[in-house]
Amino acid sequence: MILVVGLGNPGLEYSKTRHNIGFTALDMISKRYSFENWKKKLNGHYAKGVVGNQRTILLKPQTFMNMSGSCVKSFVDYFKIENNNLFVIYDDIDLKLGVMKKKIGGGHAGHNGVKSIFENLQTSNFYKIRIGISRPEQKEKVANFVLSKFSPDELIMVKDVLEKVTNDFEKIIGCSAV
């Protein structure tokens, strides 16, 4: 079984913001692969389904971004998820808008949600699926930038990258169709 975590902040005021791109990705994956309805458990919203031949849990922590790790740790422990079966999808200001990169291990690059997961799991040895949201021109504006909504032109690029993630998800998580 694999666990796919989408990072974001709970609440309607954060819906469709740059920081919630992980939640948006999970909604699209859930729909594409006909996952069960979302349920509440261990301070998160989760859905179970199958991607290719892989039993999969999608998780949206309902803690705020900076405390995502406690929810992820609870799910990892409860469902006995190995590090190599954990995937975290999140926004990355160091990638250009519309770019997606996957890697295992490495640092958190200042992303507080990922940092919280590192701290709670005591490892960085899991898969990170980073979706570029670009960087604001002024460094001191990062907090407001990540909590802002995409412009109509940006939404086109976001939709394209999220469709690519959704359509290529079996390859991204390394499973094949049944």
Side-chain angles (χ1 to χ4, degrees), residues 16 97 149-160:
K16 301 191 191 304
L97 184 68
K149 297 188 186 283
F150 294 102
S151 73
D153 288 339
E154 290 172 327
L155 276 174
I156 294 167
M157 294 175 74
V158 169
K159 183 179 181 230
D160 288 346

Side-chain angles (χ1 to χ4, degrees), residues 114-125:
V114 177
K115 181 180 178 183
S116 175
I117 295 171
F118 282 14
E119 290 169 352
N120 279 268
L121 296 181
Q122 295 293 298
T123 186
S124 64
N125 196 27

Side-chain angles (χ1 to χ4, degrees), residues 28-54:
M28 291 177 68
I29 292 164
S30 173
K31 184 177 179 183
R32 162 75 167 78
Y33 290 96
S34 302
F35 272 62
E36 67 182 22
N37 291 331
W38 293 93
K39 297 176 184 172
K40 295 179 183 180
K41 183 187 216 77
L42 303 170
N43 217 9
H45 290 169
Y46 77 102
K48 290 182 178 178
V50 176
V51 177
N53 60 1
Q54 184 65 59

Side-chain angles (χ1 to χ4, degrees), residues 86 89 137 155:
L86 174 61
I89 303 174
E137 291 180 20
L155 276 174

